[in-house]
Amino acid sequence: MPRYTAPTKDTQFILHDVLKISESTIPGYDELEADFTSAVLEEAGKLATDVLAPLNPVGDTEGCRLENGIVYTPTGFKAAFEQVKEGGWTGLDMPEQYGGQNMPAVIGSAVGEMFSASNQAFTMYQGLTHGAASAILAHGTDAQKDKWLPKMVSCEWTGTMNLTEPHCGTDLGMMRTKAEPQADGSYKITGQKIFISSGDHDMADNIVHLVLAKIVGGPEGIKGVSLFIVPKVMVDDNGDMGARNGVSVGKIEEKMGIHGNSTCVMNYDEATGYLLGDEHKGMRAMFTMMNEARLGVGMQGLAQADAAYQNALDYSKDRLQGRDVTGAKNPDGPADPLIVHPDIRRSLMEQKSFAEGARAFILWGATMIDAAHRSEDKDADGLVSLLTPVIKGFLTDVGYDMTVKAQQVYGGHGYIEEWGMSQFTRDARIAMIYEGANGVQALDLVGRKLAQDGGKHVMAFFDLVKTFIKDNAGKDDAYDAAFLEPLKAASKDLQAAGMYFMQNGMKNPNNALSGSNDFMHMFGHVCLGLMWAQMGKAATEALANGASDTAFYETKLATGRFYMARQLPATALHLARINTGADTVMALDAANF
Amino acid sequence: MPRYTAPTKDTQFILHDVLKISESTIPGYDELEADFTSAVLEEAGKLATDVLAPLNPVGDTEGCRLENGIVYTPTGFKAAFEQVKEGGWTGLDMPEQYGGQNMPAVIGSAVGEMFSASNQAFTMYQGLTHGAASAILAHGTDAQKDKWLPKMVSCEWTGTMNLTEPHCGTDLGMMRTKAEPQADGSYKITGQKIFISSGDHDMADNIVHLVLAKIVGGPEGIKGVSLFIVPKVMVDDNGDMGARNGVSVGKIEEKMGIHGNSTCVMNYDEATGYLLGDEHKGMRAMFTMMNEARLGVGMQGLAQADAAYQNALDYSKDRLQGRDVTGAKNPDGPADPLIVHPDIRRSLMEQKSFAEGARAFILWGATMIDAAHRSEDKDADGLVSLLTPVIKGFLTDVGYDMTVKAQQVYGGHGYIEEWGMSQFTRDARIAMIYEGANGVQALDLVGRKLAQDGGKHVMAFFDLVKTFIKDNAGKDDAYDAAFLEPLKAASKDLQAAGMYFMQNGMKNPNNALSGSNDFMHMFGHVCLGLMWAQMGKAATEALANGASDTAFYETKLATGRFYMARQLPATALHLARINTGADTVMALDAANF
């Protein structure tokens, strides 16, 4: 069975050596001293390792089942959910007013990675609830917040997002689910929603569905979409639960992975719903959940990659096969461990350098969320909005590839379910799809985010990279050569790609959109390059300051050098592709494919 | 349910317009006129579409089961196997002497792709038998051939390959299965083998296991390994079946995919075996199977990619979602089909250009096999030996990626088992692992094949590319720019990488081996570039000669241009990585990972 160990030490390095969070002026950050975050992370790590990780294969093997309209989660999920709730983990970064602990998102992200890595399917029950609660927090009336939030923050009740219908996923304007206004101000919701994660289950007394629907008589298309709170069980004004609402589970989908999460077809049959936010402004309200969810999904890409990597690393040290060509490393044994072989090393270094770089990227993103929410920092808000599709698309595409690489280290044993490596790839696969398929992320990035606010945010990103390079160059030749020069080159490639879009996208937007996937990936590489440059700087400084754990910091530098030398140059290939424009991509008539 | 249509027209184009097989001097090729091959391919295609493809999801869903020592294949497999046998497909390229049809390997490959694409798990029963029969054909005594081959060629009896043991896969020198010589010249085989594809099943009366084992008292390690014929049921000299041999199924493995194939743990308990080939020369004999199997596995990479692509293409035309940014293409409908979107196009073009390029590569490889076997062409033998790890490693790595891309076109529907796209990726995943994991292919290529016969074969490959460019340049500027220039650049990158290995691999072999995976991939790209240059030439000529089906040839040119412009430049990135050598790859002590 796979193991999972929380990356507490690495997370602490990023939080304190790199991001220096406790020195930040963001409200609440002053409390995030190293001892405090260490204690939180240790506790979360224990829960992940001891409780959630052992249930991961159980969830995969058993899956969820629907019997007489009731969804049953896999053995052990319910008890584990109680433990998560009792530990206060579900409201970690929620307001105290509703029972939360009011910690910054950066702590929520650090903990969230551990939970996702140890058991993605399980953690989604909590994750969707968090997203739904955030939408109510942002768009609900005080009465709505008082009514729904306390029990959602505690996960006594869980939440869902209902967007997709059989004939429409990305293109929500085609939605058919309708909402009929009632005399009491509520609505009757009727329609079918599919792919509803955590749609129903036996771990909570009630489920608060957030459902997109069209108010009868409203505008056509996406402009007529509103968001509704639709509880599974009716709740009266005193908070007492009453009759079942007109919400039922059509079926549980058979999926490639995340079997432990109940992905449901949900049927709404004149179910009572309450408008959340403004009429016909459902997309705006939904995007509060969606943006949060996208960052969370990007984190899943990292999480699965890291969990898979940890096991691949163990296996590469345990499994004896072949000899080091430069001389036996285990001469008394029948063979050397796999890790002596250069191609296995290459794979492990790719995984390790991705996971650590991605972790820094995610946590940096979370500090921007905190700055936006807690300090009303509009620049941070704009920058994280620009980077959201990069975090979601790049980290899940590459995260998935990394689980495939980890599986490959096991050879045939990776293909056998018994070893658990297949589950990492099967679970990681969904992250490239849900909360906006990665092609949609690339479109969002190139078609919308680049030009947002007059291109201000992308310029700010380039400035940030440039300033970092300028401020840190010339102190250490080895560092400059290994970190700053590659970052400079990669950033230049990214700017050149942006320039190509500006010059060629006007006359034909397909010249930009044909390169959108490449742009998203090269942007991701530059971000990870920036993270590694920052981590390299922090490690160099720690060593210069006489840090005792020299192996840790030297390993950090070596891992960064690998990323900068072998992974970051991918930007040149992406640029070369982008520069070919739409011609070869769009050449064929659809009929001639 | 996914559909599968055999690519007969495209295969015919490669066989006749590009490879011009019927003009070849290879014995037997003169019979391969276009009408003849078309008839064969049409028949095979019908079987694939009508019989094998519908059983593909059945095999995936039901899997195989072991009850009281008997393995049962999924519903319908047995009847389909009878149809394959009755059609004479199992002995297509086997000698007439043993009941085969003696057709060249190039026809076997063309048909094999269709069978694999429509149902990989099913086709493996036949494929493994073919490999085992080839080994007996190459290394058996006349008596052994007469005894085993007729029933294996007809698949009345099927075959297996038994290499892997729990503690050794690639490193077969650690094998523990032993063979004790008996007075009658036979051996008693005892040991356990794992991951045995088609290890047992209910579709044949007997199963002929080829088993690697160490003769007691022989040399240590790989030099003491011999190959044995170990039947499931004993067969006397008259060919009559007798008692069960000491062979039993330990269990059927639960796998990520190819559920329709019974992957067994096989236990040998003093089973009677017969030496095949020379004592202690088992690896040589096994490599006859292995090389054939590697080419077959490379073909599986193509096959799954093409099958997945066909369905992604259909879906992209059917599914209405969003609008073409340059103007609605389906203005009367609620939305435009997915195929209007540039990023969907990009994905489809990647899939299409890979599948068609890979098909040409596979068939070209098969002509070299034919030249080697039928014309005793040592140069062809050397070249295909060099290219075998490229065909296996590159086509299965990229083929897998392409199934993931095809699945992605479906969005959430790609993750649901109901649509069948998950099966393509799960089935394709194994091809990167079995018959030598792709890291081992890269090692074989860089560590062994490059320097084989003094580097003669790789030089021959470069000459072939150079000559092709020289012979075809200067006739058509558009063709030169779109095809020959990119091929020249990519080939130059590949030569530079080879040069780097020569200059740096001597002092430290890790400098070469750290780049082995990159080298395998860039070699694959150059091969596909060469294929596209040849196909582009053939299409240009056909159009110049007034071919009636202009759309077909123009589409071929457009697809080739895409590959050359957007995929082939990957060689530069691979070269950049290779040029960084072993430093960053091997920097860490194993303990510091």
Side-chain angles (χ1 to χ4, degrees):
Chain A
M1 201 175 69
R3 62 109 177 166
Y4 175 71
T5 307
T8 306
K9 189 171 183 179
D10 198 52
T11 303
Q12 285 282 94
F13 165 72
I14 297 166
L15 294 179
H16 301 289
D17 289 26
V18 181
L19 299 173
K20 301 185 194 294
I21 54 171
S22 63
E23 299 171 19
S24 163
T25 57
I26 298 170
Y29 270 48
D30 55 340
E31 290 171 24
L32 304 180
E33 294 289 347
D35 286 351
F36 174 74
T37 61
S38 169
V40 174
L41 297 177
E42 288 289 345
E43 276 309 304
K46 260 186 230 163
L47 190 61
T49 299
D50 300 340
V51 179
L52 307 189
L55 287 176
N56 198 38
V58 176
D60 188 53
T61 311
E62 284 190 21
C64 297
R65 64 183 208 283
L66 175 64
E67 276 177 23
N68 303 320
I70 299 169
V71 173
Y72 297 91
T73 51
T75 307
F77 270 41
K78 206 168 170 172
F81 203 60
E82 289 305 314
Q83 275 189 265
V84 172
K85 282 153 62 175
E86 280 162 20
W89 298 107
T90 64
L92 200 64
D93 55 2
M94 282 288 168
E96 285 175 0
Q97 183 183 359
Y98 302 112
Q101 303 197 40
N102 200 33
M103 285 195 205
V106 74
I107 299 302
S109 289
V111 168
E113 183 204 325
M114 296 173 182
F115 289 178
S116 268
S118 58
N119 198 328
Q120 178 173 326
F122 175 88
T123 301
M124 286 168 65
Y125 292 98
Q126 171 184 352
L128 271 298
T129 309
H130 192 284
S134 296
I136 294 174
L137 199 58
H139 303 281
T141 62
D142 286 343
Q144 285 175 330
K145 291 183 200 173
D146 290 342
K147 181 168 182 176
W148 303 108
L149 286 181
K151 299 220 168 178
M152 292 177 77
V153 166
S154 67
C155 273
E156 194 172 330
W157 299 346
T158 65
T160 70
M161 296 170 67
N162 288 243
L163 291 78
T164 306
E165 299 184 5
H167 60 288
C168 70
T170 301
D171 191 352
L172 290 167
M174 295 198 287
M175 175 174 303
R176 290 179 194 147
T177 298
K178 62 178 181 181
E180 290 175 280
Q182 305 297 304
D184 66 354
S186 73
Y187 293 77
K188 291 286 182 208
I189 312 289
T190 301
Q192 188 178 65
K193 296 286 181 177
I194 63 170
F195 303 158
I196 308 309
S197 298
S198 317
D200 197 30
H201 57 85
D202 56 354
M203 303 196 299
D205 296 333
N206 203 358
I207 298 178
V208 182
H209 301 287
L210 295 197
V211 182
L212 284 181
K214 285 182 171 171
I215 297 173
V216 174
E220 289 292 302
I222 201 74
K223 291 178 181 160
V225 169
S226 306
L227 185 61
F228 298 89
I229 299 173
V230 186
K232 174 181 173 180
V233 182
M234 298 299 292
V235 180
D236 67 20
D237 291 343
N238 301 322
D240 293 326
M241 306 225 298
R244 274 292 294 265
N245 200 357
V247 182
S248 60
V249 179
K251 68 167 175 170
I252 301 181
E253 300 284 6
E254 296 287 335
K255 308 182 298 291
M256 185 176 178
I258 51 166
H259 296 155
N261 195 273
S262 55
T263 307
C264 298
V265 172
M266 299 301 301
N267 293 321
Y268 295 88
D269 185 14
E270 300 203 336
T272 298
Y274 311 100
L275 186 66
L276 178 62
D278 296 333
E279 249 188 12
H280 312 318
K281 302 287 183 200
M283 290 309 292
R284 201 175 60 183
M286 192 49 107
F287 261 99
T288 303
M289 286 176 74
M290 191 74 105
N291 278 330
E292 177 182 318
R294 285 177 177 179
L295 295 171
V297 172
M299 186 182 69
Q300 290 175 350
L302 150 65
Q304 293 305 304
D306 190 50
Y309 163 68
Q310 291 186 17
N311 290 282
L313 177 61
D314 287 355
Y315 192 79
S316 76
K317 291 179 177 177
D318 290 345
R319 176 83 170 173
L320 304 179
Q321 209 78 183
R323 287 291 181 195
D324 186 331
V325 288
T326 64
K329 289 286 181 295
N330 176 32
D332 300 332
D336 288 343
L338 285 180
I339 198 170
V340 305
H341 302 298
D343 191 59
I344 296 283
R345 286 270 178 158
R346 172 197 58 80
S347 171
L348 293 171
M349 290 299 291
E350 285 178 1
Q351 295 170 55
K352 180 178 171 65
S353 64
F354 169 73
E356 296 176 13
R359 180 171 297 125
F361 191 18
I362 286 284
L363 294 174
W364 176 46
T367 63
M368 287 187 271
I369 295 279
D370 284 326
H373 290 178
R374 291 172 172 247
S375 308
E376 293 185 21
D377 180 338
K378 292 221 178 309
D379 291 339
D381 194 41
L383 188 52
V384 76
S385 165
L386 170 73
L387 294 179
T388 295
V390 180
I391 290 174
K392 197 282 185 182
F394 177 72
L395 295 188
T396 62
D397 274 358
V398 183
Y400 175 73
D401 281 350
M402 294 299 158
T403 64
V404 173
K405 285 178 204 285
Q407 183 185 27
Q408 188 73 13
V409 170
Y410 280 69
H413 298 280
Y415 198 66
I416 302 298
E417 293 293 352
E418 179 183 350
W419 288 78
M421 298 307 287
S422 156
Q423 187 187 352
F424 293 126
T425 75
R426 290 183 292 97
D427 286 2
R429 183 67 185 86
I430 188 58
M432 296 160 71
I433 298 173
Y434 61 17
E435 308 308 341
N438 286 355
V440 175
Q441 303 301 324
L443 177 65
D444 179 44
L445 176 65
V446 171
R448 216 164 67 86
K449 297 291 176 66
L450 268 190
Q452 211 168 35
D453 298 326
K456 182 178 157 190
H457 309 300
V458 72
M459 294 316 296
F461 177 82
F462 286 129
D463 274 350
L464 194 150
V465 173
K466 205 170 143 186
T467 305
F468 179 84
I469 293 172
K470 206 182 70 183
D471 289 352
N472 292 287
K475 297 170 190 164
D476 177 339
D477 287 352
Y479 172 77
D480 289 2
F483 290 91
L484 297 185
E485 291 305 323
L487 176 60
K488 201 172 181 177
S491 174
K492 213 173 128 191
D493 287 342
L494 186 65
Q495 290 187 62
M499 193 59 74
Y500 177 87
F501 291 161
M502 288 221 297
Q503 288 169 344
N504 299 276
M506 291 299 230
K507 59 183 177 203
N508 180 2
N510 288 345
N511 278 327
L513 298 182
S514 295
S516 59
N517 178 68
D518 282 296
F519 190 78
M520 180 174 78
H521 276 259
M522 76 194 297
F523 210 147
H525 275 297
V526 174
C527 289
L528 259 58
L530 175 63
M531 294 300 104
W532 272 116
Q534 294 184 357
M535 292 194 283
K537 179 192 169 192
T540 303
E541 286 173 358
L543 288 167
N545 294 337
S548 60
D549 194 356
T550 53
F552 177 83
Y553 293 107
E554 279 165 3
T555 297
K556 193 58 77 180
L557 282 166
T559 309
R561 281 187 212 110
F562 175 89
Y563 192 88
M564 304 309 274
R566 298 197 46 123
Q567 304 295 78
L568 195 54
T571 55
L573 173 60
H574 291 302
L575 176 61
R577 285 190 189 137
I578 285 169
N579 281 338
T580 66
D583 289 354
T584 64
V585 175
M586 305 302 288
L588 292 184
D589 280 344
N592 288 336
F593 266 82
Chain B
M1 199 176 68
R3 60 109 180 166
Y4 175 70
T5 306
T8 305
K9 190 171 180 179
D10 198 53
T11 304
Q12 284 283 94
F13 166 72
I14 297 166
L15 293 179
H16 301 289
D17 290 27
V18 181
L19 298 173
K20 301 184 196 293
I21 54 171
S22 63
E23 298 171 19
S24 162
T25 57
I26 298 170
Y29 270 47
D30 54 340
E31 292 171 25
L32 303 179
E33 294 290 348
D35 285 352
F36 174 75
T37 61
S38 169
V40 173
L41 297 177
E42 287 289 345
E43 276 309 304
K46 261 186 230 165
L47 190 62
T49 299
D50 300 339
V51 179
L52 307 190
L55 287 176
N56 198 38
V58 177
D60 189 52
T61 312
E62 285 189 21
C64 297
R65 63 184 209 281
L66 175 64
E67 277 177 21
N68 302 320
I70 299 170
V71 174
Y72 296 91
T73 51
T75 308
F77 270 40
K78 204 167 171 173
F81 203 59
E82 289 305 313
Q83 276 189 265
V84 172
K85 282 153 62 176
E86 279 162 20
W89 298 107
T90 63
L92 201 64
D93 57 0
M94 281 287 170
E96 285 176 0
Q97 184 183 357
Y98 303 111
Q101 302 196 42
N102 200 33
M103 284 195 207
V106 73
I107 300 301
S109 289
V111 167
E113 182 204 327
M114 297 175 183
F115 289 179
S116 269
S118 58
N119 198 327
Q120 178 173 326
F122 175 88
T123 301
M124 286 169 66
Y125 291 98
Q126 170 185 352
L128 271 297
T129 308
H130 192 285
S134 296
I136 294 175
L137 198 58
H139 301 283
T141 62
D142 286 344
Q144 285 175 329
K145 292 183 200 174
D146 291 341
K147 182 170 182 175
W148 303 108
L149 286 183
K151 300 220 167 177
M152 292 177 77
V153 167
S154 67
C155 273
E156 194 173 331
W157 299 346
T158 64
T160 71
M161 296 171 67
N162 287 243
L163 290 78
T164 306
E165 299 183 6
H167 60 288
C168 71
T170 300
D171 192 351
L172 290 167
M174 295 197 286
M175 177 174 299
R176 290 178 193 149
T177 298
K178 63 179 181 178
E180 289 175 281
Q182 304 297 303
D184 65 355
S186 72
Y187 293 78
K188 290 287 182 207
I189 312 291
T190 300
Q192 187 178 65
K193 296 287 181 177
I194 63 170
F195 303 157
I196 308 307
S197 298
S198 316
D200 198 29
H201 58 85
D202 57 354
M203 304 197 296
D205 296 333
N206 203 358
I207 298 178
V208 182
H209 300 288
L210 294 198
V211 182
L212 284 180
K214 284 181 170 171
I215 297 172
V216 175
E220 288 293 301
I222 200 74
K223 289 177 182 159
V225 169
S226 306
L227 185 60
F228 299 89
I229 299 172
V230 186
K232 173 181 175 181
V233 182
M234 298 299 292
V235 179
D236 68 19
D237 291 343
N238 301 322
D240 294 325
M241 307 227 296
R244 276 290 297 263
N245 199 0
V247 182
S248 61
V249 179
K251 69 166 174 171
I252 301 181
E253 299 284 6
E254 296 287 334
K255 308 183 298 290
M256 183 177 180
I258 53 167
H259 296 153
N261 195 273
S262 54
T263 306
C264 298
V265 172
M266 299 299 303
N267 294 320
Y268 295 89
D269 184 15
E270 299 203 336
T272 298
Y274 311 100
L275 186 67
L276 177 61
D278 296 334
E279 248 188 11
H280 312 319
K281 303 287 184 199
M283 290 309 290
R284 201 174 61 182
M286 193 48 106
F287 261 99
T288 302
M289 286 175 74
M290 191 74 107
N291 277 330
E292 178 182 317
R294 286 177 176 179
L295 295 171
V297 171
M299 186 182 69
Q300 290 174 351
L302 151 65
Q304 293 306 304
D306 189 49
Y309 163 67
Q310 291 186 15
N311 290 282
L313 177 60
D314 287 355
Y315 192 79
S316 75
K317 291 178 178 179
D318 290 345
R319 176 85 171 171
L320 304 180
Q321 209 78 182
R323 288 290 182 194
D324 187 333
V325 288
T326 64
K329 289 285 183 295
N330 177 33
D332 299 333
D336 287 343
L338 285 179
I339 198 169
V340 306
H341 302 300
D343 192 59
I344 295 283
R345 285 272 178 157
R346 172 198 58 80
S347 171
L348 292 172
M349 289 300 290
E350 286 178 1
Q351 295 171 54
K352 180 178 170 64
S353 65
F354 169 72
E356 295 177 13
R359 181 171 297 124
F361 191 18
I362 286 283
L363 293 174
W364 176 46
T367 63
M368 287 188 272
I369 295 280
D370 283 326
H373 291 178
R374 292 174 172 245
S375 309
E376 295 186 18
D377 180 338
K378 291 218 177 310
D379 292 338
D381 194 41
L383 188 52
V384 77
S385 164
L386 170 72
L387 294 179
T388 294
V390 180
I391 290 174
K392 197 283 184 183
F394 177 72
L395 295 189
T396 62
D397 274 359
V398 183
Y400 175 73
D401 281 349
M402 293 299 157
T403 64
V404 174
K405 286 177 204 287
Q407 183 185 26
Q408 188 73 13
V409 170
Y410 281 69
H413 298 279
Y415 198 65
I416 302 299
E417 293 293 352
E418 182 183 347
W419 288 79
M421 298 307 288
S422 156
Q423 187 187 353
F424 293 126
T425 74
R426 290 183 291 97
D427 286 3
R429 183 68 186 86
I430 187 59
M432 296 159 71
I433 298 172
Y434 60 17
E435 310 306 343
N438 286 355
V440 175
Q441 303 300 325
L443 178 65
D444 180 44
L445 176 65
V446 171
R448 215 165 65 88
K449 296 291 177 65
L450 268 190
Q452 210 169 36
D453 299 326
K456 182 178 157 189
H457 308 300
V458 73
M459 295 315 296
F461 177 81
F462 286 129
D463 274 350
L464 194 149
V465 174
K466 204 169 143 187
T467 304
F468 179 84
I469 293 171
K470 206 181 70 183
D471 290 352
N472 293 287
K475 296 170 190 166
D476 177 338
D477 286 352
Y479 173 77
D480 288 3
F483 291 91
L484 297 185
E485 291 304 323
L487 176 60
K488 202 171 178 176
S491 173
K492 213 174 129 190
D493 286 342
L494 186 66
Q495 288 187 61
M499 192 60 72
Y500 177 87
F501 290 162
M502 288 221 297
Q503 288 169 344
N504 299 277
M506 290 299 231
K507 60 183 175 204
N508 180 1
N510 288 345
N511 278 326
L513 297 182
S514 295
S516 59
N517 178 67
D518 282 296
F519 190 78
M520 181 173 78
H521 276 259
M522 75 193 297
F523 210 146
H525 275 297
V526 173
C527 289
L528 257 58
L530 176 62
M531 295 300 104
W532 272 116
Q534 294 184 358
M535 291 193 283
K537 178 192 169 192
T540 303
E541 287 173 357
L543 288 168
N545 294 337
S548 59
D549 193 357
T550 52
F552 177 83
Y553 294 107
E554 280 166 2
T555 298
K556 193 59 77 180
L557 282 166
T559 310
R561 282 187 213 110
F562 175 89
Y563 193 88
M564 305 308 276
R566 297 195 48 121
Q567 305 294 79
L568 195 54
T571 55
L573 173 60
H574 291 302
L575 177 60
R577 285 190 189 137
I578 285 169
N579 281 338
T580 65
D583 289 353
T584 64
V585 175
M586 305 300 290
L588 292 184
D589 280 344
N592 288 335
F593 266 83

CSV table of all heavy atoms in Angstrom, one decimal, chain B residues 354-371:
chain,number,residue,atom,x,y,z
B,354,PHE,N,0.4,12.5,-35.6
B,354,PHE,CA,1.1,11.4,-35.0
B,354,PHE,C,0.7,10.0,-35.6
B,354,PHE,O,1.5,9.2,-35.9
B,354,PHE,CB,0.9,11.4,-33.5
B,354,PHE,CG,1.4,10.1,-32.8
B,354,PHE,CD1,2.8,9.9,-32.7
B,354,PHE,CD2,0.6,9.1,-32.4
B,354,PHE,CE1,3.3,8.7,-32.1
B,354,PHE,CE2,1.1,7.9,-31.8
B,354,PHE,CZ,2.4,7.7,-31.7
B,355,ALA,N,-0.6,9.8,-35.6
B,355,ALA,CA,-1.1,8.5,-36.0
B,355,ALA,C,-0.6,8.2,-37.4
B,355,ALA,O,-0.1,7.1,-37.7
B,355,ALA,CB,-2.6,8.4,-35.9
B,356,GLU,N,-0.8,9.1,-38.3
B,356,GLU,CA,-0.4,8.8,-39.7
B,356,GLU,C,1.1,8.7,-39.9
B,356,GLU,O,1.6,7.9,-40.6
B,356,GLU,CB,-1.0,9.9,-40.6
B,356,GLU,CG,-2.5,9.9,-40.6
B,356,GLU,CD,-3.2,11.0,-41.4
B,356,GLU,OE1,-2.5,11.7,-42.2
B,356,GLU,OE2,-4.4,11.2,-41.3
B,357,GLY,N,1.9,9.5,-39.2
B,357,GLY,CA,3.3,9.4,-39.2
B,357,GLY,C,3.8,8.1,-38.6
B,357,GLY,O,4.7,7.4,-39.1
B,358,ALA,N,3.2,7.7,-37.5
B,358,ALA,CA,3.5,6.5,-36.8
B,358,ALA,C,3.2,5.2,-37.7
B,358,ALA,O,3.9,4.3,-37.7
B,358,ALA,CB,2.8,6.4,-35.4
B,359,ARG,N,2.1,5.3,-38.3
B,359,ARG,CA,1.7,4.2,-39.2
B,359,ARG,C,2.7,4.0,-40.3
B,359,ARG,O,3.1,2.9,-40.6
B,359,ARG,CB,0.3,4.5,-39.8
B,359,ARG,CG,-0.2,3.4,-40.7
B,359,ARG,CD,-1.7,3.7,-41.1
B,359,ARG,NE,-2.5,3.7,-40.0
B,359,ARG,CZ,-3.3,4.7,-39.6
B,359,ARG,NH1,-3.4,5.8,-40.3
B,359,ARG,NH2,-4.0,4.6,-38.5
B,360,ALA,N,3.2,5.1,-40.9
B,360,ALA,CA,4.2,5.0,-41.9
B,360,ALA,C,5.5,4.4,-41.3
B,360,ALA,O,6.2,3.5,-41.9
B,360,ALA,CB,4.5,6.3,-42.5
B,361,PHE,N,5.8,4.8,-40.1
B,361,PHE,CA,7.1,4.4,-39.4
B,361,PHE,C,7.0,2.8,-39.2
B,361,PHE,O,7.9,2.1,-39.5
B,361,PHE,CB,7.2,5.1,-38.1
B,361,PHE,CG,8.5,5.0,-37.4
B,361,PHE,CD1,9.7,4.5,-38.0
B,361,PHE,CD2,8.6,5.4,-36.1
B,361,PHE,CE1,10.9,4.4,-37.3
B,361,PHE,CE2,9.8,5.2,-35.4
B,361,PHE,CZ,10.9,4.7,-36.0
B,362,ILE,N,5.9,2.4,-38.7
B,362,ILE,CA,5.6,1.0,-38.4
B,362,ILE,C,5.8,0.1,-39.7
B,362,ILE,O,6.4,-0.9,-39.7
B,362,ILE,CB,4.2,0.8,-37.8
B,362,ILE,CG1,4.2,1.3,-36.3
B,362,ILE,CG2,3.8,-0.7,-37.9
B,362,ILE,CD1,4.9,0.3,-35.3
B,363,LEU,N,5.1,0.6,-40.7
B,363,LEU,CA,5.1,-0.2,-42.0
B,363,LEU,C,6.5,-0.1,-42.6
B,363,LEU,O,6.9,-1.2,-43.2
B,363,LEU,CB,4.0,0.4,-42.9
B,363,LEU,CG,2.6,0.1,-42.4
B,363,LEU,CD1,1.6,0.8,-43.3
B,363,LEU,CD2,2.3,-1.4,-42.3
B,364,TRP,N,7.2,1.0,-42.5
B,364,TRP,CA,8.6,1.0,-43.0
B,364,TRP,C,9.4,0.0,-42.3
B,364,TRP,O,10.2,-0.7,-42.8
B,364,TRP,CB,9.1,2.5,-42.9
B,364,TRP,CG,10.5,2.6,-43.3
B,364,TRP,CD1,11.1,2.1,-44.4
B,364,TRP,CD2,11.6,3.3,-42.6
B,364,TRP,NE1,12.5,2.5,-44.4
B,364,TRP,CE2,12.7,3.2,-43.3
B,364,TRP,CE3,11.6,4.0,-41.4
B,364,TRP,CZ2,13.9,3.8,-42.9
B,364,TRP,CZ3,12.8,4.6,-41.0
B,364,TRP,CH2,13.9,4.5,-41.7
B,365,GLY,N,9.2,0.0,-40.9
B,365,GLY,CA,10.0,-0.9,-40.1
B,365,GLY,C,9.7,-2.4,-40.5
B,365,GLY,O,10.6,-3.2,-40.6
B,366,ALA,N,8.4,-2.6,-40.9
B,366,ALA,CA,8.1,-4.0,-41.3
B,366,ALA,C,8.7,-4.4,-42.6
B,366,ALA,O,9.1,-5.5,-42.8
B,366,ALA,CB,6.6,-4.1,-41.4
B,367,THR,N,8.9,-3.4,-43.5
B,367,THR,CA,9.6,-3.7,-44.8
B,367,THR,C,11.0,-4.1,-44.5
B,367,THR,O,11.6,-4.9,-45.2
B,367,THR,CB,9.5,-2.6,-45.8
B,367,THR,OG1,10.2,-1.4,-45.3
B,367,THR,CG2,8.1,-2.2,-46.1
B,368,MET,N,11.6,-3.5,-43.5
B,368,MET,CA,13.0,-3.8,-43.1
B,368,MET,C,13.1,-5.2,-42.5
B,368,MET,O,14.1,-5.9,-42.8
B,368,MET,CB,13.6,-2.8,-42.2
B,368,MET,CG,13.9,-1.4,-42.9
B,368,MET,SD,14.7,-0.3,-41.8
B,368,MET,CE,13.4,0.5,-41.0
B,369,ILE,N,12.1,-5.6,-41.7
B,369,ILE,CA,12.0,-6.9,-41.2
B,369,ILE,C,12.0,-7.9,-42.4
B,369,ILE,O,12.7,-8.9,-42.4
B,369,ILE,CB,10.8,-7.1,-40.3
B,369,ILE,CG1,10.9,-6.2,-39.1
B,369,ILE,CG2,10.6,-8.6,-40.0
B,369,ILE,CD1,11.7,-6.8,-38.0
B,370,ASP,N,11.1,-7.6,-43.3
B,370,ASP,CA,11.0,-8.5,-44.5
B,370,ASP,C,12.3,-8.6,-45.3
B,370,ASP,O,12.7,-9.6,-45.7
B,370,ASP,CB,9.8,-8.0,-45.4
B,370,ASP,CG,8.5,-8.3,-44.9
B,370,ASP,OD1,8.3,-9.4,-44.2
B,370,ASP,OD2,7.5,-7.5,-45.1
B,371,ALA,N,12.9,-7.4,-45.5
B,371,ALA,CA,14.2,-7.4,-46.2
B,371,ALA,C,15.2,-8.3,-45.5
B,371,ALA,O,16.0,-9.0,-46.1
B,371,ALA,CB,14.7,-6.0,-46.4
